[in-house]
Amino acid sequence: MRILVDIVHPADVLFFRHPLARLMVEGAQIHVASREKDVACALLDEFGLPHAVASKAGKGSFGLARELVVRDAAIWRMARRFRPDVMVGFGGVAIAHVGKLTGIPSVSFYAADTASLQTRLTWPFITRLYVPEPYAGPVPEGRTTRFPGVKELSYFHPDNFVADPDVARRSGWAEGEENFFLRTVGWGANHDLGKSGWSDEDLSALVEKLADKGKVHISSERALPAHLEQHLYRGERSALHHVMAHCRLYVGESATMAHEAAFLGVPAIYDGADHPGTTRELAAQGMLAALRQPGLPSLMEAVEAMLSEQRRAAVIAARDAYIGERPNLAGYIADAIRDAAR
């Protein structure tokens, strides 16, 4: 079995890591088409997954449009050389286009039901689509399957990930004091066009509040003000979630990382513009708090509420109940890829 994997975001590396490991044990040959986006390539390197860069993340609508052309052409060349039985991706814009041209089956997993531009470019051409049960956006009829749970169960199911305090220590976790994890995004993805997030002033105020209580770690897609650079996460990319798992609180503009924190049993606050069905489901289950950019005073109130011991216990209980009713998604994804390659 020959599988071409389209990796466009760091979260894609985590999503496919365990399913690909299962398939490689069975003898599958894997070709990863990577993208220079945030830490995606660094994660592939640290996990020992060879890859070839197909494109660099574009900026703005023109840059993203140009990148789409470049990536489509690169994936087409890779497919001609590698001759895969199936192409898979999370989102899967390029593999959908190339699959339509070449006749190679393309399989997309996706969760962001608010990314209307990306889905309009993908759904007419994709062979098979898998979305989580709470996905609320339009899907291609007759070609869509809904999977149980949310995408983070592919990596953060307890069978797949156990936080290691030694790894966390080596990458900046300060044992013996409270640690806090913040995430800011760059607002450069196709689903971020026209949107914005925290100002430097709001971020500074949030850091000041939490720094009085312990150590602050910031993961950022954008340049930080000089006085905040001391808080920038500088540990190994593959160790970031080991650090996060030992934090007292996550606050961020990334819904994906809020989901990840929740599965690690860390109280999480998502403060963002988009609220996909998966985020709404986890919030309804009590696994995280989802805010709609209410402003700094309301965000600070939410931070105080999430720091209580009762809240932490409630998050862990909600996480355990959620996982107890849903499968390890890594096996489900591997089965779906295997079926499509036959």
Side-chain angles (χ1 to χ4, degrees):
M1 181 166 46
R2 301 169 71 84
I3 306 165
L4 190 154
V5 186
D6 186 25
I7 297 290
V8 300
H9 189 278
D12 300 354
V13 183
L14 304 181
F15 182 79
F16 284 112
R17 181 189 178 195
H18 293 285
L20 293 180
R22 292 178 180 224
L23 293 168
M24 287 188 285
V25 167
E26 299 171 8
Q29 297 180 52
I30 308 294
H31 182 86
V32 176
S34 59
R35 180 184 188 224
E36 292 184 3
K37 159 68 174 173
D38 199 9
V39 299
C41 293
L43 273 178
L44 287 166
D45 292 337
E46 289 184 24
F47 287 142
L49 290 171
H51 59 97
V53 175
S55 67
K56 181 178 181 178
K59 296 182 179 179
S61 55
F62 177 79
L64 289 169
R66 180 181 181 279
E67 186 199 355
L68 177 60
V69 175
V70 169
R71 191 167 188 86
D72 276 8
I75 298 290
W76 181 76
R77 290 192 297 269
M78 291 180 185
R80 289 196 64 188
R81 290 194 299 267
F82 183 61
R83 303 180 66 83
D85 298 304
V86 64
M87 299 182 293
V88 300
F90 198 89
V93 181
I95 60 170
H97 298 167
V98 173
K100 194 69 173 179
L101 290 172
T102 62
I104 300 169
S106 58
V107 177
S108 172
F109 298 84
Y110 205 51
D113 47 37
T114 56
S116 58
L117 174 60
Q118 176 155 334
T119 56
R120 288 200 302 269
L121 291 170
T122 309
W123 291 180
F125 312 105
I126 203 74
T127 305
R128 193 75 203 170
L129 172 67
Y130 290 84
V131 297
E133 289 171 347
Y135 187 91
V139 295
E141 294 296 328
R143 292 179 283 131
T144 302
T145 300
R146 292 184 180 269
F147 59 80
V150 296
K151 66 185 179 73
E152 287 77 19
L153 280 173
S154 175
Y155 185 64
F156 292 105
H157 189 281
D159 291 345
N160 300 338
F161 181 87
V162 177
D164 187 330
D166 291 332
V167 173
R169 248 182 246 107
R170 291 197 299 269
S171 287
W173 171 52
E175 188 174 12
E177 63 178 295
E178 300 280 28
N179 287 245
F180 308 96
F181 206 98
L182 307 183
R183 171 68 170 176
T184 65
V185 302
W187 304 99
N190 63 73
H191 54 268
D192 291 331
L193 295 176
K195 301 169 186 173
S196 61
W198 295 335
S199 66
D200 286 348
E201 292 75 19
D202 286 353
L203 177 59
S204 297
L206 181 59
V207 170
E208 183 179 357
K209 177 181 181 66
L210 294 174
D212 284 342
K213 302 176 184 292
K215 182 172 181 177
V216 175
H217 309 262
I218 303 177
S219 170
S220 179
E221 288 183 337
R222 63 182 177 89
L224 295 177
H227 69 281
L228 295 183
E229 288 186 358
Q230 61 179 311
H231 301 288
L232 193 64
Y233 174 78
R234 302 183 189 278
E236 294 180 5
R237 303 303 181 185
S238 58
L240 183 149
H241 293 100
H242 294 271
V243 173
M244 182 190 288
H246 288 86
C247 286
R248 186 67 183 81
L249 176 69
Y250 163 88
V251 189
E253 299 172 313
S254 166
T256 292
M257 291 192 74
H259 297 183
E260 293 167 353
F263 278 104
L264 294 170
V266 177
I269 298 173
Y270 166 58
D271 185 25
D274 290 331
H275 286 244
T278 50
T279 301
R280 296 197 301 271
E281 174 171 280
L282 296 184
Q285 296 287 331
M287 292 176 62
L288 56 83
L291 309 181
R292 294 182 179 273
Q293 298 178 313
L296 186 61
S298 295
L299 175 59
M300 292 296 200
E301 288 180 16
V303 167
E304 283 296 335
M306 293 294 279
L307 285 174
S308 73
E309 285 297 328
Q310 294 89 341
R311 183 62 183 180
R312 177 156 58 177
V315 165
I316 293 173
R319 184 271 314 269
D320 292 345
Y322 190 89
I323 291 175
E325 297 173 354
R326 292 161 180 85
N328 182 340
L329 202 56
Y332 182 98
I333 297 164
D335 290 343
I337 296 171
R338 195 185 299 108
D339 290 345
R342 289 172 179 162

